[in-house]
Amino acid sequence: MATIDLSPLYRSSVGFDRMASLLDSALRSDTGATGYPPYNIELVAENQYAITLAVAGFEEDDLEIEVENGVLRVTGKKAEENEKREYLHRGIANRAFERKFSLAEHIEVTGAGLKNGLLTVGLVKNIPEAKKPKRIDIGSSTKDLLQDRSKSKGNAA
């Protein structure tokens, strides 16, 4: 497999450290990683998302959800079974797992629910007012703009 060197990106950009780190970790991730548990990522509304994981056999006490430094981590660990069972076939995977999701800026977890073996984590994108687009009204005269500009230059001198 070919490797990609991202060091020029680090040298020639400012403020994109998180993006470069995400690319770097995605390229270095283990390609043989397990696909357990399977999951869906759904766009629910304009700024709302849901991640649904198939966690059949797990109960609420067996699951843990954490968000730290823009990474959502879902872990599951079954408690030890007290009774001894003899299986003829064991196809339901109750093994421990850890699944991580990188969250974009301003994405917040709103809650989680477990129903019918599906764990759903709700997410919302809350963009601060300062980052939202602003509509600029167009005036009828540029004369006022030029006067405002000349006043600010006079104050700066």
Side-chain angles (χ1 to χ4, degrees):
M1 181 176 136
T3 59
I4 298 174
D5 182 19
L6 294 177
S7 56
L9 182 63
Y10 289 110
R11 288 193 305 260
S12 63
S13 64
V14 178
F16 293 98
D17 301 339
R18 180 159 157 59
M19 181 62 74
S21 296
L22 284 171
L23 282 170
D24 195 34
S25 66
L27 292 171
R28 294 180 196 276
S29 68
D30 182 16
T31 57
T34 177
Y36 180 75
Y39 64 92
N40 293 335
I41 300 176
E42 178 183 1
L43 177 62
V44 177
E46 185 177 346
N47 288 322
Q48 292 181 337
Y49 307 89
I51 299 174
T52 304
L53 294 96
V55 293
F58 286 86
E59 297 182 29
E60 288 180 24
D61 295 340
D62 301 330
L63 300 167
E64 185 176 310
I65 303 169
E66 273 185 356
V67 177
E68 183 179 4
N69 295 328
V71 176
L72 170 66
R73 183 170 59 95
V74 180
T75 55
K77 186 175 181 184
K78 289 289 290 180
E80 293 291 324
E81 288 186 14
N82 293 336
E83 60 184 80
K84 191 76 169 170
R85 294 183 178 185
E86 183 179 336
Y87 291 96
L88 299 177
H89 171 74
R90 188 166 185 177
I92 299 173
N94 284 330
R95 63 183 179 265
F97 69 87
E98 179 178 84
R99 186 61 91 168
K100 292 182 181 179
F101 301 91
S102 296
L103 302 178
E105 232 180 342
H106 311 299
I107 297 285
E108 298 174 10
V109 176
T110 58
L114 181 64
K115 184 177 179 183
N116 297 330
L118 297 174
L119 174 67
T120 302
V121 180
L123 305 163
V124 67
K125 185 173 190 175
N126 286 325
I127 302 172
E129 287 297 321
K131 301 256 182 184
K132 288 184 180 177
K134 297 176 193 168
R135 180 169 174 84
I136 308 299
D137 292 330
I138 300 172
S140 59
S141 171
T142 58
K143 186 177 178 183
D144 295 336
L145 287 175
L146 298 175
Q147 287 177 355
D148 289 343
R149 191 182 306 163
S150 64
K151 287 178 185 177
S152 64
K153 284 183 181 177
N155 293 340

